[in-house]
Structure formats: structure tokens, C-alpha cells
Amino acid sequence: MNYLLKHSKKLLSLILVLALFTGCKDYQDLDVAPVDTGDADFSSYVAVGNSLTAGFQNNALYQSGQQYSFPNLLARQVNQSENFDQPYISNPGISSGNGRIELTNLDPVQTTTNSSIGTPTTQEEKPFTNLGVPGAVLVDYLNPNNSGELKERATNDNRPDYNPFYGIVMEQSELAKDVPNLHNQVAKQQPSFITFWLGNNDVLGFVTSGGEGQNITDPNNFEQLYQGSVQALASTGANVVVYNIPDVTTIPYVFYLRTQLEQQGAIVYNEESQNYQLVTEQGNLDIYIETNGGSRKMRQKDFPLLSAQSYFAQVQAGEIQPPVQPQTAIPDNLVLDGPAGGPQGSSELEQAAGAIQQFNGTIESSAASAGFTVVDINQIFAETFNTFQSSGGANGYQTNGLNLRPVPGELFSFDGVHPT
């Protein structure tokens, strides 16, 4: 474990470098250099997580994207690819929304949505060693007293929160129990090494819905769940590496549309009034956004989400009224609003940022108490974003001659949330 603590950043860097070649080389031709694993035993490697672990890209889970899941790349680096099984889904995969996002034109960049559905192709290999379940939240790992209602969400397709990915990833015998959980799927495989990355979705649903969807998990409840999960992980006797949660403003789903609109000259920031303005033939007019406290002018820490792309396209086409009056403000679900004079911590951005800070504190302390290694994804994403900002959008993650900006189509897939 000491070797992993010393070299975890180097190992992660190698994983990232491999992932960045996704669009450049065919998977089967990709050379993966082995790494020195020290005393760590990868003979039985199990990965636990959500869509980020599963290899979810472009709003769907599909085989040609799953092949680049970070656990699969790691398994190849430590020469355990033959022992690492994933729940592959034929192209174009299964989407969590309206379909897989696909590139149709490079210059200018244009995408389309493929609503066709793929089928699972490796179900006979259960239990899978990649237990990344798109949509999974922290409570699903232990599901104490069925507090996460995992069985219901996994099997009842009449529920609004039904998630088909549980049935694809987990064994049906586990889901048939009154209180199924992910930990049972881990423990039965007697793992020697585990990567654990849960907690993102405990805040992400709130963020991507502009504060109108899934609630943020209460930090006290998160702490209890995470400590319980760490104890369960430790009971396996495996070496364990856990990952923390990135700041939401460092993912393009949150920051990129505003940057794009500024670069296009569609909106400008007025330093004097400290408001964003829409560029119109009648001059620059203040932009209004809806918040839980009512409509107000858009300020420096307000972020129109990537989901607002079609909204702004309609505004630019003259199909809907521009958001230059309180009654025509940008809808609340399309904006993550920041502080603007209200009670401290009340804005959507502050709520999300505060929760992530507390979540990451829990992850750090819980991991330390168990002797687990923590990979600081938060810092890595922040450094990449800061490089992007300070370079005026020219640079991003750089290594071995590569320069991948944190934007859809480069370091991130077109959904703006999942890395390529």
C-alpha cells in the first residue's frame, strides 16, 4: 500500500494518457505499457462506481466506449485484462436520456442523437469485475435497511426513477433479495484490489437539473454511508483506492456554454454593472435568469448549463423571446445560479460546492482511518480547468505532446460530464 501512496499520481497519469488516445487509435491497436505494481496484488481486481467507472460516454453506455473505462485500462496496464469482465452493450448502446450523442460534422462541430438501442452481450460473465452502474449513488453500496430502495429502482420499470443499468450490471439473484446491494457483488469475488468511486451522483443530479431535480444527499447521511462502505471494503482484506469528487464548475456541462457564448460574441460581461448582457441590434441588454427566489439579472457566478444549448439556439433564431426581461428569463432548470446577495450558502452553486467540500472531507478522513489511498480527482480537474481559463481556452491537460482542453469532443465526451 505504501507503494501505491507514493506512486498513485504516476499511475493515474498513465491511465489518463491512455484514455486521451481514444479518438486517435483503434482499441485493439492501442499499446498499453505495463506498470510496476510493487507489492499490490491485482490478481482479483474489482472496480466499484457509477457511470465514470462504467466507461459511459456521449450520454450512453456502449462497447466501443466501455473499452476505455479507466478500470479496463488499469487492468490492461497490470496485465489482468483476461480476468477483467465488463457488461458490454452493443453499439449504439443504452442511453440515460434521449439517445447517444454522435458527431456528424467536424467543421463546424455538429452532433446528432441516435435513439436506437443496443443489447447486452456478455451477461453470462456475471458477476462482473467492473461494477460501475450509471446512476448509482452512495447508498447503493450497502443499501442499509433498503434505505436506497435499490430493488425497486432496479426492477420496477413503472417507477420514474427506474434504472435499467442495475439489471445489466448486477446478478439477478442479488436483485431478487429484499435488500440487495453492490457490496455483496464485490465480496463474493474475494478481491485482492478494489477501486471505489461513488458519491458523484449524490450531488450531480442536483447540478445538471439546475437545482430542480434530485436533491443533494445530506452530508451527515453521506458521512455515515461512506464510513460504513469503507468498513465493508476493509473487511474484504483487499488493497483499496478511493476517488474523490470534482468541483462541478470544472466540468463542461456547467461552464462551457457560457464560455462558448462569450467566444461567439453572443453575450458579454459588463464589468461596471457586474451583469451578463445579451448582444442585440438594440444594444447590449441585461440577461435575466429564473431562480427559486424569482427572476434576477445574470451575474458572474451564474452558469447556463449545456442543456440550455437548444434554448439559446431558439433565442438566436428568433423563435422565442430573448431573456432580457424578468418575464422571459432563462428557465431555472437550465441555469446553476450562484451567489447574488441572498443568504450565504443559499444559491444552487454554493449548495453544490459546499456539499462537495464536505463529501471530500469525509472521503479523505474515512480513507485515512482505513489506510486506503485517495486519488485527488478534484485537484486534477481543477488544475486542468485553471490551465484552460488562464490560457484563454487554448490549453488543457498536457502530456507527451498532447493538449486536450476540458471541452466536449476533447478531454470530455459530448455529454459534457464524462471524460473520453
Side-chain angles (χ1 to χ4, degrees):
M1 184 60 72
N2 289 336
Y3 180 91
L4 290 170
L5 285 166
K6 182 178 180 182
H7 295 280
S8 61
K9 282 191 175 182
K10 179 179 178 183
L11 185 64
L12 178 66
S13 177
L14 287 167
I15 295 169
L16 285 172
V17 171
L18 289 169
L20 297 180
F21 281 104
T22 301
C24 305
K25 300 182 71 176
D26 179 77
Y27 177 78
Q28 300 300 329
D29 297 330
L30 181 61
D31 293 325
V32 180
V35 296
D36 182 358
T37 59
D39 295 330
D41 179 6
F42 284 90
S43 60
S44 179
Y45 167 40
V46 176
V48 182
N50 48 45
S51 55
L52 294 166
T53 294
F56 195 96
Q57 290 187 39
N58 300 315
N59 202 41
L61 191 66
Y62 54 97
Q63 182 164 346
S64 53
Q66 290 173 275
Q67 290 172 330
Y68 292 96
S69 71
F70 86 83
N72 198 42
L73 294 176
L74 178 57
R76 296 192 71 192
Q77 286 181 289
V78 298
N79 295 317
Q80 291 297 327
S81 58
E82 291 185 1
N83 299 327
F84 193 75
D85 300 319
Q86 301 196 105
Y88 285 128
I89 299 173
S90 64
N91 293 325
I94 296 177
S95 171
S96 61
N98 297 323
R100 170 174 150 183
I101 303 170
E102 297 179 347
L103 182 68
T104 57
N105 194 69
L106 277 172
D107 189 17
V109 173
Q110 295 178 340
T111 61
T112 188
T113 300
N114 187 341
S115 59
S116 299
I117 300 174
T119 57
T121 62
T122 54
Q123 291 295 288
E124 71 281 356
E125 296 175 12
K126 289 181 178 181
F128 294 112
T129 43
N130 187 338
L131 292 172
V133 182
V137 289
L138 179 58
V139 70
D140 294 336
Y141 190 65
L142 293 178
N143 190 28
N145 300 317
N146 198 34
S147 55
E149 297 185 342
L150 177 56
K151 180 176 182 178
E152 294 80 357
R153 289 185 287 128
T155 60
N156 184 356
D157 58 8
N158 291 318
R159 286 176 62 110
D161 58 356
Y162 169 68
N163 184 335
F165 293 111
Y166 292 107
I168 292 171
V169 177
M170 298 177 66
E171 290 181 304
Q172 295 303 316
S173 59
E174 178 64 31
L175 291 176
K177 296 178 180 177
D178 290 336
V179 187
N181 64 51
L182 282 165
H183 177 69
N184 290 336
Q185 303 281 272
V186 174
K188 74 179 300 181
Q189 299 184 67
Q190 299 181 316
S192 61
F193 194 95
I194 300 170
T195 55
F196 185 86
W197 195 5
L198 282 173
N200 311 68
N201 287 334
D202 290 75
V203 64
L204 189 61
F206 175 87
V207 170
T208 56
S209 65
E212 298 301 296
Q214 173 187 322
N215 292 329
I216 297 173
T217 299
D218 179 85
N220 293 324
N221 189 31
F222 186 95
E223 182 177 17
Q224 293 178 353
L225 291 170
Y226 205 90
Q227 289 176 346
S229 298
V230 163
Q231 292 172 5
L233 290 165
S235 71
T236 67
N239 285 341
V240 181
V241 172
V242 300
Y243 296 71
N244 65 10
I245 304 169
D247 182 341
V248 296
T249 60
T250 64
I251 63 173
Y253 193 91
V254 174
F255 80 80
Y256 184 61
L257 180 58
R258 197 181 75 179
T259 299
Q260 193 177 39
L261 291 170
E262 288 185 274
Q263 291 174 344
Q264 293 171 353
I267 67 173
V268 295
Y269 181 69
N270 187 311
E271 293 283 354
E272 184 176 350
S273 67
Q274 297 185 343
N275 298 322
Y276 270 95
Q277 297 180 322
L278 190 70
V279 177
T280 74
E281 294 179 354
Q282 292 76 38
N284 298 345
L285 303 175
D286 288 336
I287 298 172
Y288 283 83
I289 63 171
E290 285 183 0
T291 73
N292 288 336
S295 298
R296 65 165 174 79
K297 295 177 181 179
M298 179 176 161
R299 300 175 67 84
Q300 193 170 23
K301 292 189 176 181
D302 298 324
F303 293 90
L305 302 172
L306 203 61
S307 54
Q309 280 182 315
S310 59
Y311 167 84
F312 275 98
Q314 288 178 291
V315 169
Q316 292 173 332
E319 297 173 0
I320 58 175
Q321 291 294 314
V324 294
Q325 297 179 13
Q327 60 268 34
T328 60
I330 302 173
D332 193 6
N333 67 309
L334 300 180
V335 182
L336 189 71
D337 62 76
Q344 185 175 2
S346 62
S347 72
E348 292 163 351
L349 179 61
E350 289 174 303
Q351 290 179 59
I356 290 171
Q357 184 177 14
Q358 290 179 279
F359 290 176
N360 283 344
T362 291
I363 292 170
E364 186 72 34
S365 60
S366 300
S369 67
F372 296 171
T373 297
V374 179
V375 176
D376 195 351
I377 291 292
N378 184 288
Q379 179 182 352
I380 293 169
F381 275 36
E383 289 175 352
T384 303
F385 175 75
N386 290 336
T387 298
F388 177 76
Q389 292 292 93
S390 62
S391 66
N395 298 318
Y397 184 85
Q398 298 182 48
T399 181
N400 295 338
L402 291 173
N403 176 33
L404 277 296
R405 300 177 302 159
V407 301
E410 291 191 29
L411 187 57
F412 285 81
S413 66
F414 286 110
D415 59 35
V417 174
H418 301 91
T420 54

